[in-house]
Amino acid sequence: MRNALSDEEYAAQAEKGQPERARWSHLEQLIAGVYDRLGTVQHVLICANSDSKSKRPKAPEPMPRPGIRAAQPKQKISNEQADTIFRLINGGAA
């Protein structure tokens, strides 16, 4: 199919293409896995060689993959919300 396109058609397709939404090959998946593992090794190495009282760096984010949404940050609850949940669990709704 690609060889049947003229240069103009090929350029037009390239302009509106969205490669980040395309499926990944097996090789691309393997490279992303290596990237993620290397980031984890680097994180562990930094944590192991830093002062125990210093602030630890945040764990690395995995490489985004097509079709997989990024993890949503966990919502934190206030003390008031936690007290309400505690009362409801312990029979406070009755």
Side-chain angles (χ1 to χ4, degrees):
M1 266 173 66
R2 180 177 175 174
N3 293 337
L5 295 175
S6 68
D7 290 340
E8 294 81 23
E9 291 172 321
Y10 186 69
Q13 290 293 324
E15 286 294 319
K16 65 180 181 180
Q18 295 177 326
E20 68 277 0
R21 297 186 70 191
R23 294 176 69 184
W24 279 13
S25 70
H26 187 66
L27 179 61
E28 290 168 320
Q29 290 284 356
L30 288 172
I31 291 172
V34 169
Y35 174 88
D36 292 343
R37 296 298 182 258
L38 187 59
T40 301
V41 167
Q42 180 183 23
H43 180 255
V44 169
L45 186 65
I46 291 169
C47 289
N49 291 306
S50 61
D51 186 16
S52 62
K53 295 182 182 178
S54 65
K55 184 177 177 183
R56 301 285 177 172
K58 206 169 78 169
E61 295 287 328
M63 178 178 277
R65 288 159 173 82
I68 300 174
R69 292 185 181 164
Q72 299 294 325
K74 292 183 181 179
Q75 294 182 353
K76 296 187 179 187
I77 63 172
S78 66
N79 287 337
E80 182 180 315
Q81 292 170 326
D83 290 338
T84 301
I85 293 171
F86 181 77
R87 282 195 310 275
L88 289 172
I89 289 173
N90 290 309

